[in-house]
Amino acid sequence: MKIAPSMLSADFTRLLAEIKEMEQLGADYLHIDIMDGDFVQNISFGPMVYQWLRPHSDLVFDVHMMVQFPERYIESVAQAGADIISIHVEATNHLHRAIQQIHQLGKKAGVVVNPGTPVSQLEAVLSDVDLVLVMTVNPGFGGQIFIEATLDKIAQLAAIRKEKGYHFEIEVDGGVNHETGKRCVEAGADVLVAGSYLFNADSRQQAMEALRQVGQ
Ligand code: DX5
Ligand code: ZN
């Protein structure tokens, strides 16, 4: 099991130190949320922000694009130093082409589903993707409550993966803590994104350890 702290909850006045701390605590991925104010009702930051971090970190940069028509920005997202680029199934009419574009740039491709979107919408691309990100809250903001009904989608994806012999990782994002995270892992999740649970913890080290225990 892998842990992906979500940069959205970091203190941006000391961003590099925050990221280095998560790296030292044993994070696997750095989850990076790009929001365009259109696909979601919030604006976060663009690729320039993590481009500055890239030379200073060995973490896998896991970029979650909450962007309408993501194909317009895939190239700049890749060039800024993303390792995994995930796009929402709800945000493009050309999902297959966008995944090809990500792979042509030498990056891993992920596809994301909102809580209201069924797994069936993804089935045509599951053989092509490296990661499936299941939103366990409606995207746009950190610190929201985990939506229970999404557990079933994680289990469905894990079953399809097994049946067809696919290799994508299953990542979950939103409202993840040591309790909800445990249930996600039991349902089949491989990567836990955690923003407020890790960054707002009294002891980040204890929070990281508690998340790590989930996979034991
Ligand atoms: C929400 C973002 C998440 C967010 C998670 O739209 O995609 O990555 O940072 O935050 P928490 O873990 O606080 O729910
Ligand atoms: Zn995210």
Side-chain angles (χ1 to χ4, degrees), residues 21-57:
E21 184 180 343
M22 288 298 162
E23 200 169 335
Q24 275 150 19
L25 290 175
D28 301 283
Y29 294 174
L30 177 64
H31 186 80
I32 300 174
D33 290 301
I34 300 183
M35 302 179 186
D36 65 349
D38 186 9
F39 182 71
V40 289
Q41 284 179 38
N42 196 7
I43 301 171
S44 57
F45 48 80
M48 200 190 90
V49 172
Y50 62 84
Q51 187 168 16
W52 281 96
L53 296 172
R54 183 70 283 183
H56 304 287
S57 175

PDB file of all heavy atoms in Angstrom, residues 21-57:
ATOM      1  N   GLU A  21       9.188  17.157   4.606  1.00  0.00           N
ATOM      2  CA  GLU A  21       8.763  16.479   5.837  1.00  0.00           C
ATOM      3  C   GLU A  21       7.963  15.214   5.494  1.00  0.00           C
ATOM      4  O   GLU A  21       8.198  14.139   6.065  1.00  0.00           O
ATOM      5  CB  GLU A  21       7.917  17.427   6.707  1.00  0.00           C
ATOM      6  CG  GLU A  21       7.533  16.794   8.035  1.00  0.00           C
ATOM      7  CD  GLU A  21       6.681  17.715   8.916  1.00  0.00           C
ATOM      8  OE1 GLU A  21       6.641  18.927   8.668  1.00  0.00           O
ATOM      9  OE2 GLU A  21       6.065  17.180   9.849  1.00  0.00           O
ATOM     10  N   MET A  22       7.052  15.328   4.562  1.00  0.00           N
ATOM     11  CA  MET A  22       6.249  14.162   4.165  1.00  0.00           C
ATOM     12  C   MET A  22       7.139  13.078   3.550  1.00  0.00           C
ATOM     13  O   MET A  22       6.944  11.891   3.769  1.00  0.00           O
ATOM     14  CB  MET A  22       5.152  14.565   3.171  1.00  0.00           C
ATOM     15  CG  MET A  22       4.039  15.365   3.814  1.00  0.00           C
ATOM     16  SD  MET A  22       3.193  14.392   5.108  1.00  0.00           S
ATOM     17  CE  MET A  22       2.383  15.707   6.011  1.00  0.00           C
ATOM     18  N   GLU A  23       8.123  13.517   2.797  1.00  0.00           N
ATOM     19  CA  GLU A  23       9.066  12.570   2.188  1.00  0.00           C
ATOM     20  C   GLU A  23       9.812  11.815   3.289  1.00  0.00           C
ATOM     21  O   GLU A  23       9.926  10.589   3.260  1.00  0.00           O
ATOM     22  CB  GLU A  23      10.039  13.369   1.304  1.00  0.00           C
ATOM     23  CG  GLU A  23      10.752  12.562   0.260  1.00  0.00           C
ATOM     24  CD  GLU A  23      11.487  13.444  -0.764  1.00  0.00           C
ATOM     25  OE1 GLU A  23      11.101  14.618  -0.982  1.00  0.00           O
ATOM     26  OE2 GLU A  23      12.452  12.938  -1.351  1.00  0.00           O
ATOM     27  N   GLN A  24      10.272  12.559   4.285  1.00  0.00           N
ATOM     28  CA  GLN A  24      11.013  11.924   5.387  1.00  0.00           C
ATOM     29  C   GLN A  24      10.137  10.999   6.226  1.00  0.00           C
ATOM     30  O   GLN A  24      10.619  10.011   6.790  1.00  0.00           O
ATOM     31  CB  GLN A  24      11.662  12.996   6.265  1.00  0.00           C
ATOM     32  CG  GLN A  24      13.010  13.437   5.701  1.00  0.00           C
ATOM     33  CD  GLN A  24      13.349  14.881   6.028  1.00  0.00           C
ATOM     34  OE1 GLN A  24      12.773  15.473   6.942  1.00  0.00           O
ATOM     35  NE2 GLN A  24      14.269  15.455   5.275  1.00  0.00           N
ATOM     36  N   LEU A  25       8.853  11.316   6.292  1.00  0.00           N
ATOM     37  CA  LEU A  25       7.932  10.462   7.060  1.00  0.00           C
ATOM     38  C   LEU A  25       7.529   9.206   6.287  1.00  0.00           C
ATOM     39  O   LEU A  25       6.789   8.376   6.800  1.00  0.00           O
ATOM     40  CB  LEU A  25       6.673  11.251   7.457  1.00  0.00           C
ATOM     41  CG  LEU A  25       6.871  12.342   8.512  1.00  0.00           C
ATOM     42  CD1 LEU A  25       5.574  13.121   8.725  1.00  0.00           C
ATOM     43  CD2 LEU A  25       7.344  11.742   9.830  1.00  0.00           C
ATOM     44  N   GLY A  26       8.009   9.094   5.055  1.00  0.00           N
ATOM     45  CA  GLY A  26       7.786   7.852   4.313  1.00  0.00           C
ATOM     46  C   GLY A  26       6.699   7.896   3.259  1.00  0.00           C
ATOM     47  O   GLY A  26       6.224   6.838   2.821  1.00  0.00           O
ATOM     48  N   ALA A  27       6.320   9.098   2.832  1.00  0.00           N
ATOM     49  CA  ALA A  27       5.324   9.195   1.751  1.00  0.00           C
ATOM     50  C   ALA A  27       5.875   8.531   0.488  1.00  0.00           C
ATOM     51  O   ALA A  27       7.093   8.497   0.268  1.00  0.00           O
ATOM     52  CB  ALA A  27       5.009  10.661   1.464  1.00  0.00           C
ATOM     53  N   ASP A  28       4.985   8.008  -0.329  1.00  0.00           N
ATOM     54  CA  ASP A  28       5.382   7.376  -1.592  1.00  0.00           C
ATOM     55  C   ASP A  28       5.172   8.321  -2.768  1.00  0.00           C
ATOM     56  O   ASP A  28       6.037   8.485  -3.610  1.00  0.00           O
ATOM     57  CB  ASP A  28       4.548   6.108  -1.815  1.00  0.00           C
ATOM     58  CG  ASP A  28       4.728   5.122  -0.686  1.00  0.00           C
ATOM     59  OD1 ASP A  28       5.764   4.450  -0.669  1.00  0.00           O
ATOM     60  OD2 ASP A  28       3.850   5.048   0.205  1.00  0.00           O
ATOM     61  N   TYR A  29       3.981   8.902  -2.827  1.00  0.00           N
ATOM     62  CA  TYR A  29       3.642   9.842  -3.886  1.00  0.00           C
ATOM     63  C   TYR A  29       3.398  11.209  -3.252  1.00  0.00           C
ATOM     64  O   TYR A  29       3.054  11.288  -2.075  1.00  0.00           O
ATOM     65  CB  TYR A  29       2.330   9.444  -4.587  1.00  0.00           C
ATOM     66  CG  TYR A  29       2.324   8.159  -5.382  1.00  0.00           C
ATOM     67  CD1 TYR A  29       1.124   7.692  -5.936  1.00  0.00           C
ATOM     68  CD2 TYR A  29       3.473   7.413  -5.610  1.00  0.00           C
ATOM     69  CE1 TYR A  29       1.076   6.515  -6.684  1.00  0.00           C
ATOM     70  CE2 TYR A  29       3.425   6.237  -6.360  1.00  0.00           C
ATOM     71  CZ  TYR A  29       2.229   5.795  -6.890  1.00  0.00           C
ATOM     72  OH  TYR A  29       2.176   4.642  -7.628  1.00  0.00           O
ATOM     73  N   LEU A  30       3.557  12.255  -4.073  1.00  0.00           N
ATOM     74  CA  LEU A  30       3.042  13.568  -3.688  1.00  0.00           C
ATOM     75  C   LEU A  30       1.832  13.830  -4.569  1.00  0.00           C
ATOM     76  O   LEU A  30       1.946  13.884  -5.804  1.00  0.00           O
ATOM     77  CB  LEU A  30       4.099  14.652  -3.902  1.00  0.00           C
ATOM     78  CG  LEU A  30       3.609  16.077  -3.586  1.00  0.00           C
ATOM     79  CD1 LEU A  30       3.268  16.220  -2.102  1.00  0.00           C
ATOM     80  CD2 LEU A  30       4.658  17.109  -4.003  1.00  0.00           C
ATOM     81  N   HIS A  31       0.658  13.943  -3.944  1.00  0.00           N
ATOM     82  CA  HIS A  31      -0.576  14.153  -4.705  1.00  0.00           C
ATOM     83  C   HIS A  31      -0.754  15.652  -4.941  1.00  0.00           C
ATOM     84  O   HIS A  31      -0.749  16.451  -4.000  1.00  0.00           O
ATOM     85  CB  HIS A  31      -1.751  13.574  -3.922  1.00  0.00           C
ATOM     86  CG  HIS A  31      -3.043  13.615  -4.672  1.00  0.00           C
ATOM     87  ND1 HIS A  31      -3.376  12.687  -5.638  1.00  0.00           N
ATOM     88  CD2 HIS A  31      -4.084  14.474  -4.607  1.00  0.00           C
ATOM     89  CE1 HIS A  31      -4.573  12.971  -6.118  1.00  0.00           C
ATOM     90  NE2 HIS A  31      -5.029  14.059  -5.520  1.00  0.00           N
ATOM     91  N   ILE A  32      -0.909  16.027  -6.208  1.00  0.00           N
ATOM     92  CA  ILE A  32      -0.898  17.436  -6.602  1.00  0.00           C
ATOM     93  C   ILE A  32      -2.208  17.752  -7.324  1.00  0.00           C
ATOM     94  O   ILE A  32      -2.471  17.223  -8.406  1.00  0.00           O
ATOM     95  CB  ILE A  32       0.320  17.706  -7.525  1.00  0.00           C
ATOM     96  CG1 ILE A  32       1.630  17.370  -6.775  1.00  0.00           C
ATOM     97  CG2 ILE A  32       0.308  19.128  -8.032  1.00  0.00           C
ATOM     98  CD1 ILE A  32       2.890  17.449  -7.636  1.00  0.00           C
ATOM     99  N   ASP A  33      -3.016  18.608  -6.726  1.00  0.00           N
ATOM    100  CA  ASP A  33      -4.366  18.884  -7.216  1.00  0.00           C
ATOM    101  C   ASP A  33      -4.417  20.170  -8.029  1.00  0.00           C
ATOM    102  O   ASP A  33      -4.338  21.265  -7.470  1.00  0.00           O
ATOM    103  CB  ASP A  33      -5.319  19.041  -6.022  1.00  0.00           C
ATOM    104  CG  ASP A  33      -5.570  17.733  -5.310  1.00  0.00           C
ATOM    105  OD1 ASP A  33      -6.066  16.800  -5.951  1.00  0.00           O
ATOM    106  OD2 ASP A  33      -5.259  17.645  -4.102  1.00  0.00           O
ATOM    107  N   ILE A  34      -4.605  20.016  -9.340  1.00  0.00           N
ATOM    108  CA  ILE A  34      -4.761  21.201 -10.193  1.00  0.00           C
ATOM    109  C   ILE A  34      -6.254  21.435 -10.420  1.00  0.00           C
ATOM    110  O   ILE A  34      -6.949  20.557 -10.931  1.00  0.00           O
ATOM    111  CB  ILE A  34      -4.056  21.000 -11.546  1.00  0.00           C
ATOM    112  CG1 ILE A  34      -2.553  20.753 -11.335  1.00  0.00           C
ATOM    113  CG2 ILE A  34      -4.289  22.211 -12.449  1.00  0.00           C
ATOM    114  CD1 ILE A  34      -1.765  20.615 -12.625  1.00  0.00           C
ATOM    115  N   MET A  35      -6.747  22.616 -10.027  1.00  0.00           N
ATOM    116  CA  MET A  35      -8.174  22.945 -10.184  1.00  0.00           C
ATOM    117  C   MET A  35      -8.312  24.214 -11.018  1.00  0.00           C
ATOM    118  O   MET A  35      -7.604  25.191 -10.769  1.00  0.00           O
ATOM    119  CB  MET A  35      -8.799  23.208  -8.810  1.00  0.00           C
ATOM    120  CG  MET A  35      -8.684  22.057  -7.854  1.00  0.00           C
ATOM    121  SD  MET A  35      -9.430  22.521  -6.288  1.00  0.00           S
ATOM    122  CE  MET A  35      -9.000  21.091  -5.286  1.00  0.00           C
ATOM    123  N   ASP A  36      -9.261  24.169 -11.957  1.00  0.00           N
ATOM    124  CA  ASP A  36      -9.333  25.247 -12.946  1.00  0.00           C
ATOM    125  C   ASP A  36     -10.461  26.253 -12.704  1.00  0.00           C
ATOM    126  O   ASP A  36     -10.654  27.176 -13.498  1.00  0.00           O
ATOM    127  CB  ASP A  36      -9.493  24.648 -14.354  1.00  0.00           C
ATOM    128  CG  ASP A  36     -10.825  23.915 -14.525  1.00  0.00           C
ATOM    129  OD1 ASP A  36     -11.529  23.692 -13.522  1.00  0.00           O
ATOM    130  OD2 ASP A  36     -11.154  23.563 -15.677  1.00  0.00           O
ATOM    131  N   GLY A  37     -11.254  26.073 -11.640  1.00  0.00           N
ATOM    132  CA  GLY A  37     -12.367  26.993 -11.408  1.00  0.00           C
ATOM    133  C   GLY A  37     -13.519  26.786 -12.371  1.00  0.00           C
ATOM    134  O   GLY A  37     -14.454  27.605 -12.409  1.00  0.00           O
ATOM    135  N   ASP A  38     -13.476  25.720 -13.149  1.00  0.00           N
ATOM    136  CA  ASP A  38     -14.509  25.443 -14.146  1.00  0.00           C
ATOM    137  C   ASP A  38     -15.028  24.018 -13.924  1.00  0.00           C
ATOM    138  O   ASP A  38     -16.203  23.816 -13.617  1.00  0.00           O
ATOM    139  CB  ASP A  38     -13.891  25.591 -15.546  1.00  0.00           C
ATOM    140  CG  ASP A  38     -14.922  25.454 -16.653  1.00  0.00           C
ATOM    141  OD1 ASP A  38     -16.124  25.423 -16.362  1.00  0.00           O
ATOM    142  OD2 ASP A  38     -14.513  25.371 -17.829  1.00  0.00           O
ATOM    143  N   PHE A  39     -14.153  23.040 -13.997  1.00  0.00           N
ATOM    144  CA  PHE A  39     -14.556  21.656 -13.708  1.00  0.00           C
ATOM    145  C   PHE A  39     -14.964  21.518 -12.245  1.00  0.00           C
ATOM    146  O   PHE A  39     -15.871  20.764 -11.910  1.00  0.00           O
ATOM    147  CB  PHE A  39     -13.407  20.686 -14.034  1.00  0.00           C
ATOM    148  CG  PHE A  39     -13.774  19.253 -13.796  1.00  0.00           C
ATOM    149  CD1 PHE A  39     -14.668  18.612 -14.637  1.00  0.00           C
ATOM    150  CD2 PHE A  39     -13.265  18.561 -12.718  1.00  0.00           C
ATOM    151  CE1 PHE A  39     -15.053  17.294 -14.407  1.00  0.00           C
ATOM    152  CE2 PHE A  39     -13.636  17.242 -12.476  1.00  0.00           C
ATOM    153  CZ  PHE A  39     -14.536  16.610 -13.325  1.00  0.00           C
ATOM    154  N   VAL A  40     -14.272  22.223 -11.374  1.00  0.00           N
ATOM    155  CA  VAL A  40     -14.650  22.299  -9.959  1.00  0.00           C
ATOM    156  C   VAL A  40     -14.736  23.773  -9.550  1.00  0.00           C
ATOM    157  O   VAL A  40     -14.132  24.623 -10.186  1.00  0.00           O
ATOM    158  CB  VAL A  40     -13.636  21.566  -9.032  1.00  0.00           C
ATOM    159  CG1 VAL A  40     -13.727  20.070  -9.211  1.00  0.00           C
ATOM    160  CG2 VAL A  40     -12.218  22.048  -9.268  1.00  0.00           C
ATOM    161  N   GLN A  41     -15.486  24.020  -8.483  1.00  0.00           N
ATOM    162  CA  GLN A  41     -15.694  25.411  -8.063  1.00  0.00           C
ATOM    163  C   GLN A  41     -14.603  25.872  -7.117  1.00  0.00           C
ATOM    164  O   GLN A  41     -14.849  26.291  -5.985  1.00  0.00           O
ATOM    165  CB  GLN A  41     -17.055  25.556  -7.387  1.00  0.00           C
ATOM    166  CG  GLN A  41     -18.196  25.559  -8.390  1.00  0.00           C
ATOM    167  CD  GLN A  41     -19.534  25.684  -7.708  1.00  0.00           C
ATOM    168  OE1 GLN A  41     -19.681  26.402  -6.732  1.00  0.00           O
ATOM    169  NE2 GLN A  41     -20.517  24.969  -8.201  1.00  0.00           N
ATOM    170  N   ASN A  42     -13.386  25.716  -7.555  1.00  0.00           N
ATOM    171  CA  ASN A  42     -12.251  26.188  -6.778  1.00  0.00           C
ATOM    172  C   ASN A  42     -11.072  26.320  -7.731  1.00  0.00           C
ATOM    173  O   ASN A  42     -11.026  25.645  -8.762  1.00  0.00           O
ATOM    174  CB  ASN A  42     -11.926  25.177  -5.661  1.00  0.00           C
ATOM    175  CG  ASN A  42     -11.037  25.762  -4.585  1.00  0.00           C
ATOM    176  OD1 ASN A  42     -10.742  26.950  -4.573  1.00  0.00           O
ATOM    177  ND2 ASN A  42     -10.590  24.913  -3.673  1.00  0.00           N
ATOM    178  N   ILE A  43     -10.152  27.202  -7.401  1.00  0.00           N
ATOM    179  CA  ILE A  43      -8.938  27.390  -8.198  1.00  0.00           C
ATOM    180  C   ILE A  43      -7.767  27.120  -7.269  1.00  0.00           C
ATOM    181  O   ILE A  43      -7.697  27.714  -6.191  1.00  0.00           O
ATOM    182  CB  ILE A  43      -8.858  28.827  -8.748  1.00  0.00           C
ATOM    183  CG1 ILE A  43     -10.080  29.131  -9.626  1.00  0.00           C
ATOM    184  CG2 ILE A  43      -7.574  29.033  -9.525  1.00  0.00           C
ATOM    185  CD1 ILE A  43     -10.192  30.596 -10.042  1.00  0.00           C
ATOM    186  N   SER A  44      -6.882  26.213  -7.658  1.00  0.00           N
ATOM    187  CA  SER A  44      -5.752  25.937  -6.762  1.00  0.00           C
ATOM    188  C   SER A  44      -4.479  26.553  -7.327  1.00  0.00           C
ATOM    189  O   SER A  44      -4.135  27.685  -7.016  1.00  0.00           O
ATOM    190  CB  SER A  44      -5.611  24.431  -6.507  1.00  0.00           C
ATOM    191  OG  SER A  44      -5.469  23.724  -7.717  1.00  0.00           O
ATOM    192  N   PHE A  45      -3.791  25.822  -8.163  1.00  0.00           N
ATOM    193  CA  PHE A  45      -2.510  26.288  -8.708  1.00  0.00           C
ATOM    194  C   PHE A  45      -2.246  25.495  -9.983  1.00  0.00           C
ATOM    195  O   PHE A  45      -2.872  24.465 -10.232  1.00  0.00           O
ATOM    196  CB  PHE A  45      -1.374  26.073  -7.702  1.00  0.00           C
ATOM    197  CG  PHE A  45      -1.386  24.685  -7.112  1.00  0.00           C
ATOM    198  CD1 PHE A  45      -0.864  23.607  -7.802  1.00  0.00           C
ATOM    199  CD2 PHE A  45      -1.960  24.450  -5.867  1.00  0.00           C
ATOM    200  CE1 PHE A  45      -0.908  22.332  -7.284  1.00  0.00           C
ATOM    201  CE2 PHE A  45      -2.000  23.169  -5.333  1.00  0.00           C
ATOM    202  CZ  PHE A  45      -1.477  22.103  -6.048  1.00  0.00           C
ATOM    203  N   GLY A  46      -1.299  25.979 -10.755  1.00  0.00           N
ATOM    204  CA  GLY A  46      -0.939  25.302 -11.999  1.00  0.00           C
ATOM    205  C   GLY A  46       0.403  24.607 -11.901  1.00  0.00           C
ATOM    206  O   GLY A  46       1.010  24.563 -10.820  1.00  0.00           O
ATOM    207  N   PRO A  47       0.885  24.083 -13.026  1.00  0.00           N
ATOM    208  CA  PRO A  47       2.116  23.298 -13.044  1.00  0.00           C
ATOM    209  C   PRO A  47       3.349  24.045 -12.562  1.00  0.00           C
ATOM    210  O   PRO A  47       4.308  23.428 -12.081  1.00  0.00           O
ATOM    211  CB  PRO A  47       2.294  22.919 -14.522  1.00  0.00           C
ATOM    212  CG  PRO A  47       1.001  23.192 -15.180  1.00  0.00           C
ATOM    213  CD  PRO A  47       0.224  24.143 -14.333  1.00  0.00           C
ATOM    214  N   MET A  48       3.341  25.369 -12.704  1.00  0.00           N
ATOM    215  CA  MET A  48       4.531  26.137 -12.317  1.00  0.00           C
ATOM    216  C   MET A  48       4.925  25.880 -10.859  1.00  0.00           C
ATOM    217  O   MET A  48       6.111  25.869 -10.531  1.00  0.00           O
ATOM    218  CB  MET A  48       4.234  27.625 -12.512  1.00  0.00           C
ATOM    219  CG  MET A  48       5.462  28.485 -12.609  1.00  0.00           C
ATOM    220  SD  MET A  48       4.998  30.217 -12.528  1.00  0.00           S
ATOM    221  CE  MET A  48       5.076  30.477 -10.777  1.00  0.00           C
ATOM    222  N   VAL A  49       3.926  25.648 -10.030  1.00  0.00           N
ATOM    223  CA  VAL A  49       4.202  25.493  -8.592  1.00  0.00           C
ATOM    224  C   VAL A  49       5.037  24.241  -8.324  1.00  0.00           C
ATOM    225  O   VAL A  49       6.044  24.283  -7.621  1.00  0.00           O
ATOM    226  CB  VAL A  49       2.880  25.485  -7.784  1.00  0.00           C
ATOM    227  CG1 VAL A  49       3.137  25.129  -6.328  1.00  0.00           C
ATOM    228  CG2 VAL A  49       2.209  26.846  -7.874  1.00  0.00           C
ATOM    229  N   TYR A  50       4.654  23.113  -8.941  1.00  0.00           N
ATOM    230  CA  TYR A  50       5.456  21.914  -8.646  1.00  0.00           C
ATOM    231  C   TYR A  50       6.716  21.827  -9.505  1.00  0.00           C
ATOM    232  O   TYR A  50       7.649  21.089  -9.180  1.00  0.00           O
ATOM    233  CB  TYR A  50       4.627  20.619  -8.691  1.00  0.00           C
ATOM    234  CG  TYR A  50       4.008  20.273 -10.011  1.00  0.00           C
ATOM    235  CD1 TYR A  50       4.733  19.595 -10.996  1.00  0.00           C
ATOM    236  CD2 TYR A  50       2.685  20.599 -10.287  1.00  0.00           C
ATOM    237  CE1 TYR A  50       4.151  19.260 -12.209  1.00  0.00           C
ATOM    238  CE2 TYR A  50       2.099  20.269 -11.492  1.00  0.00           C
ATOM    239  CZ  TYR A  50       2.832  19.605 -12.445  1.00  0.00           C
ATOM    240  OH  TYR A  50       2.253  19.278 -13.643  1.00  0.00           O
ATOM    241  N   GLN A  51       6.747  22.604 -10.581  1.00  0.00           N
ATOM    242  CA  GLN A  51       7.986  22.671 -11.364  1.00  0.00           C
ATOM    243  C   GLN A  51       9.148  23.164 -10.489  1.00  0.00           C
ATOM    244  O   GLN A  51      10.267  22.683 -10.596  1.00  0.00           O
ATOM    245  CB  GLN A  51       7.781  23.615 -12.551  1.00  0.00           C
ATOM    246  CG  GLN A  51       8.932  23.628 -13.529  1.00  0.00           C
ATOM    247  CD  GLN A  51       8.560  24.339 -14.817  1.00  0.00           C
ATOM    248  OE1 GLN A  51       7.567  25.064 -14.892  1.00  0.00           O
ATOM    249  NE2 GLN A  51       9.353  24.138 -15.833  1.00  0.00           N
ATOM    250  N   TRP A  52       8.835  24.092  -9.576  1.00  0.00           N
ATOM    251  CA  TRP A  52       9.859  24.601  -8.667  1.00  0.00           C
ATOM    252  C   TRP A  52      10.289  23.541  -7.653  1.00  0.00           C
ATOM    253  O   TRP A  52      11.426  23.543  -7.182  1.00  0.00           O
ATOM    254  CB  TRP A  52       9.332  25.838  -7.928  1.00  0.00           C
ATOM    255  CG  TRP A  52       9.395  27.069  -8.788  1.00  0.00           C
ATOM    256  CD1 TRP A  52       8.387  27.594  -9.529  1.00  0.00           C
ATOM    257  CD2 TRP A  52      10.534  27.899  -9.011  1.00  0.00           C
ATOM    258  NE1 TRP A  52       8.815  28.701 -10.197  1.00  0.00           N
ATOM    259  CE2 TRP A  52      10.127  28.921  -9.899  1.00  0.00           C
ATOM    260  CE3 TRP A  52      11.852  27.888  -8.546  1.00  0.00           C
ATOM    261  CZ2 TRP A  52      10.997  29.921 -10.334  1.00  0.00           C
ATOM    262  CZ3 TRP A  52      12.714  28.880  -8.979  1.00  0.00           C
ATOM    263  CH2 TRP A  52      12.294  29.886  -9.859  1.00  0.00           C
ATOM    264  N   LEU A  53       9.368  22.656  -7.284  1.00  0.00           N
ATOM    265  CA  LEU A  53       9.685  21.618  -6.290  1.00  0.00           C
ATOM    266  C   LEU A  53      10.468  20.460  -6.907  1.00  0.00           C
ATOM    267  O   LEU A  53      11.208  19.767  -6.206  1.00  0.00           O
ATOM    268  CB  LEU A  53       8.392  21.050  -5.692  1.00  0.00           C
ATOM    269  CG  LEU A  53       7.513  21.996  -4.887  1.00  0.00           C
ATOM    270  CD1 LEU A  53       6.186  21.307  -4.558  1.00  0.00           C
ATOM    271  CD2 LEU A  53       8.225  22.415  -3.599  1.00  0.00           C
ATOM    272  N   ARG A  54      10.236  20.237  -8.197  1.00  0.00           N
ATOM    273  CA  ARG A  54      10.728  19.014  -8.854  1.00  0.00           C
ATOM    274  C   ARG A  54      12.205  18.698  -8.600  1.00  0.00           C
ATOM    275  O   ARG A  54      12.549  17.565  -8.257  1.00  0.00           O
ATOM    276  CB  ARG A  54      10.411  19.102 -10.362  1.00  0.00           C
ATOM    277  CG  ARG A  54      10.780  17.909 -11.217  1.00  0.00           C
ATOM    278  CD  ARG A  54       9.938  16.673 -10.989  1.00  0.00           C
ATOM    279  NE  ARG A  54      10.259  15.909  -9.798  1.00  0.00           N
ATOM    280  CZ  ARG A  54       9.668  14.759  -9.471  1.00  0.00           C
ATOM    281  NH1 ARG A  54       8.726  14.250 -10.251  1.00  0.00           N
ATOM    282  NH2 ARG A  54       9.999  14.130  -8.374  1.00  0.00           N
ATOM    283  N   PRO A  55      13.105  19.677  -8.732  1.00  0.00           N
ATOM    284  CA  PRO A  55      14.521  19.332  -8.530  1.00  0.00           C
ATOM    285  C   PRO A  55      14.864  18.962  -7.094  1.00  0.00           C
ATOM    286  O   PRO A  55      15.937  18.424  -6.832  1.00  0.00           O
ATOM    287  CB  PRO A  55      15.266  20.621  -8.919  1.00  0.00           C
ATOM    288  CG  PRO A  55      14.276  21.502  -9.563  1.00  0.00           C
ATOM    289  CD  PRO A  55      12.927  21.089  -9.105  1.00  0.00           C
ATOM    290  N   HIS A  56      13.961  19.244  -6.171  1.00  0.00           N
ATOM    291  CA  HIS A  56      14.262  19.049  -4.743  1.00  0.00           C
ATOM    292  C   HIS A  56      13.628  17.799  -4.152  1.00  0.00           C
ATOM    293  O   HIS A  56      13.764  17.550  -2.960  1.00  0.00           O
ATOM    294  CB  HIS A  56      13.768  20.264  -3.942  1.00  0.00           C
ATOM    295  CG  HIS A  56      14.341  21.560  -4.423  1.00  0.00           C
ATOM    296  ND1 HIS A  56      15.650  21.915  -4.195  1.00  0.00           N
ATOM    297  CD2 HIS A  56      13.799  22.554  -5.164  1.00  0.00           C
ATOM    298  CE1 HIS A  56      15.880  23.090  -4.756  1.00  0.00           C
ATOM    299  NE2 HIS A  56      14.774  23.494  -5.349  1.00  0.00           N
ATOM    300  N   SER A  57      12.904  17.035  -4.946  1.00  0.00           N
ATOM    301  CA  SER A  57      12.180  15.903  -4.368  1.00  0.00           C
ATOM    302  C   SER A  57      12.246  14.677  -5.275  1.00  0.00           C
ATOM    303  O   SER A  57      12.151  14.786  -6.496  1.00  0.00           O
ATOM    304  CB  SER A  57      10.710  16.283  -4.151  1.00  0.00           C
ATOM    305  OG  SER A  57       9.985  15.163  -3.699  1.00  0.00           O
TER     306      SER A  57
END
